[in-house]
Amino acid sequence: NRLENPSNQAFPSLPPTIKQLKIYGNSLSSIPKQICDPKMKLLEKLDLSFNNLAAVPIEICNLSALTDLNLDNNVIVSLPKEVGLLKKLKTLSLRNNYIQVKSTNFSDSSNPQPIPASVFEDTLLIDLNLHGNKLSSTQLNEFEGFNAFLERRKKVKTKNLYGGAMTDMGVCGLT
């Protein structure tokens, strides 16, 4: 069954014990409020890929246990700063969305940074995939907070090297 633009009343309430939720391959244009309910304190992995999501609600910050967020193949242009409140977030995938910048001279009012500094600085993020967005690695390197992400990623990935094996240290799937 495909879900298409369900009204929040039609979307079922979810048991608060869920740790993983996959709602990919539908036609959701918004994230149902039941998913971001404060009762969903145990949700660790959320897959909303292959929908038609244009925005992420600020209530996403209610998912305090979230470690893995997959938003691939939607129409997202930016994230709210509240994603930075997901202190346990380690993996964020935004492949094939519409994240882009006209200029890296960011300002909160006229040209906000599409991925807020709080996402890079205030989470445990070590894996970020932005492949397929109109964004270059040079532009991403100019994002406020991005250096904090790179340093954390380097420490974790270096620790995970085993027997001299190489780890992909590419810049988030961008060229």
Side-chain angles (χ1 to χ4, degrees):
N1 290 344
R2 284 178 60 97
L3 299 171
E4 294 185 20
N5 299 327
S7 67
N8 283 323
Q9 293 78 24
F11 197 86
S13 62
L14 301 167
T17 54
I18 290 178
K19 289 191 173 193
Q20 186 170 321
L21 183 59
K22 294 181 179 183
I23 306 180
Y24 55 84
N26 290 283
S27 295
L28 296 177
S29 59
S30 63
I31 298 175
K33 67 179 183 179
Q34 292 87 336
I35 293 174
C36 296
D37 191 299
K39 293 182 214 157
M40 301 298 292
K41 290 184 176 154
L42 300 176
L43 187 62
E44 296 174 357
K45 295 184 179 192
L46 179 57
D47 185 347
L48 292 164
S49 59
F50 293 94
N51 277 288
N52 196 28
L53 300 173
V56 175
I58 60 173
E59 293 81 10
I60 194 89
C61 69
N62 291 331
L63 305 177
S64 57
L66 202 64
T67 61
D68 189 329
L69 180 57
N70 185 342
L71 296 167
D72 293 347
N73 297 286
N74 280 289
V75 292
I76 295 168
V77 296
S78 66
L79 295 177
K81 67 179 187 287
E82 287 77 8
V83 173
L85 297 172
L86 298 172
K87 302 298 183 197
K88 296 181 179 180
L89 188 67
K90 290 183 179 180
T91 303
L92 175 60
S93 193
L94 288 157
R95 290 181 306 143
N96 302 314
N97 276 282
Y98 291 87
I99 296 171
Q100 59 185 327
V101 295
K102 294 177 184 139
S103 160
T104 53
N105 188 12
F106 298 113
S107 75
D108 288 341
S109 56
S110 62
N111 187 32
Q113 187 169 296
I115 301 172
S118 62
V119 174
F120 299 121
E121 297 171 340
D122 301 335
T123 68
L124 297 175
L125 193 65
I126 53 169
D127 288 316
L128 174 63
N129 194 334
L130 295 168
H131 179 78
N133 287 280
K134 292 183 180 181
L135 189 65
S136 71
S137 61
T138 303
Q139 290 170 320
L140 184 60
N141 274 295
E142 294 185 37
F143 279 32
E144 183 183 339
F146 189 69
N147 282 336
F149 160 76
L150 285 179
E151 284 303 311
R152 183 175 51 255
R153 176 181 165 86
K154 186 176 178 182
K155 285 178 189 171
V156 171
K157 294 290 184 180
T158 302
K159 250 189 230 180
N160 290 339
L161 289 178
Y162 180 74
M166 294 301 295
T167 298
D168 177 20
M169 292 300 283
V171 183
C172 307
L174 299 175
T175 56

